[in-house]
Amino acid sequence: MESARKLVNGTAAALPDLTTERFPHLERGDFAVLADRHLRFFEDLLGTEAVLTDPVKVAAHNIDWDRHARGRGSVVLLPASTQQVADVLAYCNREKLAVTPQGGNTGLVWGSVPVFDEIVLSTQRLNEILHFDEVSGVLTCQAGCVLGDLDAYVRKRGFIVPLDLGAKNKCHIGGNLSTNAGGVRLVRYGSLHGSVLGLEAVRADGTVLRLMNTLRKDNSGFHLKHLFIGSEGTLGVITQVAIQCSVAPASVHVLFLGVPSFPRVVDAFRASRAALAETLSACEMMDAECMSVVVDKLGYRHPLQSDSPFYVLVETNGSDAQHDREKLAKLLQSVRDADIATDGVLASSEAEMHTLWEMRLRIGKGLWADGCLYTFDISVPLKMYYDVVPELARHLRDNGRPVTRVCGFGHMGDSNLHLGVTTPTFDPELLEWMEEFVYDWTSKRCGSVAAEHGVGFKKNRFVHLSKTAPALSVMKGLKDLMDPNGILNPYKVLPLGLTGKSC
Amino acid sequence: MESARKLVNGTAAALPDLTTERFPHLERGDFAVLADRHLRFFEDLLGTEAVLTDPVKVAAHNIDWDRHARGRGSVVLLPASTQQVADVLAYCNREKLAVTPQGGNTGLVWGSVPVFDEIVLSTQRLNEILHFDEVSGVLTCQAGCVLGDLDAYVRKRGFIVPLDLGAKNKCHIGGNLSTNAGGVRLVRYGSLHGSVLGLEAVRADGTVLRLMNTLRKDNSGFHLKHLFIGSEGTLGVITQVAIQCSVAPASVHVLFLGVPSFPRVVDAFRASRAALAETLSACEMMDAECMSVVVDKLGYRHPLQSDSPFYVLVETNGSDAQHDREKLAKLLQSVRDADIATDGVLASSEAEMHTLWEMRLRIGKGLWADGCLYTFDISVPLKMYYDVVPELARHLRDNGRPVTRVCGFGHMGDSNLHLGVTTPTFDPELLEWMEEFVYDWTSKRCGSVAAEHGVGFKKNRFVHLSKTAPALSVMKGLKDLMDPNGILNPYKVLPLGLTGKSC
């Protein structure tokens, strides 16, 4: 297994504990156990090269991106067509074999890896771009296309994919839809529920649901595609996608501000939205701790003259560089005059913009240098957005829980905070202790315990903190309707035996 | 009933035929018949003033906006709270009484009026604005608020509701969500699936599903709100809404072009999108026939120096008037240079902009002056967007079907065409004959037979032309899950005994 360790997240870190060892009371579902006859069926159907059983090759498909979870799957299937996906699922449904659909496996909630011995159904060979309409800007492709590849493809034709996130060069568009990925430019380009026009998904019983609408307006019956966007592979396996691309901006600018307090960060966001309006494409924040990490651990040069308690990155996507620069210069002047920002710089080259973005996007990478990183992905109303960071730090200190660092960064435009805590080594008991605190805190503020990363296995114990009992009951009804044998991504998303919140 | 006629659509036109007379073979569902004891229950629950039984008052709630459909309902209920809606539905579900939810009753597909004797459940007293967050721009309100009132409310606070349509001063926001209304600025502000953050809906059995999320990112479990957006009241009754408002544009401009051919209309759209990018808020088209209607029937002055086969209205919503005017002037010059537009005018005042928009939005009103209007609301790829207009005209002529006028107008940015045909008086047989032609034509081009107005009762015979058999099967499963007795808006949306298309 030594070489398997190297496959995981590109590092030689120790293998994580098996998920079943960390959660010993979890019961395996009433599924069949994989047998030789099943493997022979899959090899006959897909060809032997599409049925991975070599433990080294299978290992990377069992381990989550953040290296906190490890499943016990022993086979990975690589279908190359919708029909093959349908045939695999029809068989698994008949035989009661559990299946974990997997895209680029970059999720952060242990949603795309097995818990027990589920079969991994990878979309990596479903990687064909099917069509791009240069008039409408609608791209159709298979689910296993890598997001960054799609973006590069449409950029050559004057468009961009309306979704951008750190994992873009590895994540699959099908996984993006399944997890309803948000990313850094949602404030401008909106959610996938708005930009995905159609999709094709295979139900648990192998039925192909072809919903490949390519038109922006379609009210011909129930809007079934939304069942699959954000349900993390528990209601069906997405095999194709039709997405409305946006016109590529002719001009991109980045402004970086040093801000003296969190209320001024909110003011900076409001001022940016008012001044930049339709050109505002991102408004990101990071605290001083995050800045010290990227400077000290990753070696970036501090972009401003002086330290500040908070930093805000403002990006514009516009169609006229001179107009955009004028708007930004006015904004910079006004936030300085109003003491919203004490320092600020407007990137003067593409390289400078790239570096400023890298500093924001590589915070997680920097935090890992402390040894181990625990992240929490929550949404809360803006005025209380940052409160959880000092409150958790105090709570840890008061309870004698030593940690290396507590910090916050995230998307101001979407009220989405990424809370990061580091320790020298992974401590599952500490993680559980913090989860209780953070999710309870979030729930009491009517926030979401799963903002953009989803629920997966990591958070299914906490879903009831953001969903009422009647909502959980409808979720259960949908699961029973779409997947009566429960073979699709078991143990994920749906909580067991919980009652839901009342607010 | 004389005075009832005046209540309908503000005109004194003759009452339409009863829907059950026009479709004599349609069978009434197995529902209870309203009895005095039911009325007494409703009066005890809601108060007598909230239970309308006066035939004159009830009549307007039985007749659809376009005056083509008339139901046989004899009671209208006006609950004033979510709990009252829940109590009404729980009772109706127990007693197997069928219910038609109704908002502003401005729909165009006979979805908000009874077919047989369904009880009308009106949202008109659920009209309270609950909260507006001036930082996030999120508005929460009850379902019966009028769209135009909401827009006026948030405009005073620097925002706009991201939905605008002709019926804005009468339609209810709950009805907008139920029908997934699109409107004229979808190209800029996106669909309701993207901008609605949360909602509250009551299930057929009276269970309240509180999904009032107010945050832009929430992936805590299945995205249940989408079940209700666009399902036209067949899966539940929407009682509250949380919607992300957009920053009000500081500057609005309208450009009106005369265009020599339909391919040049497509070019005008592409040029506008490229030149105006993030500021483009609408791109509407109308043909010469539409222009002659608004000039001859409504008395508007022709806005250009000369007649053209087509006209395009381009609107920008921007944050800097000077920047926006510069972009528009460049665009006007470039479309003239490229012979895309033969004539054009940039509105120089708010009054001029208003007039140009009125000419576009009142086409329907002008067409009614011919006597009777039949409209078809379809989506098709842009390159074949207009083809159906001359093809239907030829088909009518070749088959000896005399009509007064055939014309087309609609939203270029969304590939959404409104096809209009007029005759002196309503001819249901002609309508059915044209429906067969238009929807078959649309289906063969993989378009949508119900672009933005929905299915209602008018189009449920044609849903299978835009949905496959497996999709129809999932629709049926969802209906059975959410409303096992089928009491919610029966005879609407879901087709009966149809097989679905294969493409």
Side-chain angles (χ1 to χ4, degrees), chain B residues 1 34-36 38-40 42-43 47-62 72-78 119-120:
Chain B
M1 294 293 276
L34 190 75
D36 283 348
H38 299 131
L39 288 175
R40 280 197 304 277
F42 294 133
E43 286 175 351
T48 49
E49 80 290 352
V51 181
L52 308 184
T53 53
D54 172 348
V56 173
K57 287 186 181 158
V58 170
H61 295 269
N62 264 315
R72 315 181 78 135
S74 61
V75 63
V76 178
L77 303 181
L78 306 170
I119 291 168
V120 173

Side-chain angles (χ1 to χ4, degrees), chain A residues 157-174:
Chain A
R157 290 152 180 87
F159 288 82
I160 59 168
V161 176
L163 171 70
D164 193 5
L165 62 158
K168 73 186 285 182
N169 291 321
K170 190 159 192 299
C171 62
H172 293 185
I173 190 74

Side-chain angles (χ1 to χ4, degrees), chain A residues 13 19 58 106 108 118 138 141 143 154 166 181 229 240 252 275 283 301 339 343 345 367 386 389 449 460 467:
Chain A
T19 307
V58 170
T106 59
L108 295 172
E118 298 87 85
V138 177
C141 64
V154 301
I229 300 173
Q240 287 189 14
V252 178
C283 185
R301 201 169 63 81
D339 294 327
D343 200 356
V345 61
L367 289 167
Y386 190 74
V389 180
V449 299
N460 66 2
K467 287 275 183 288

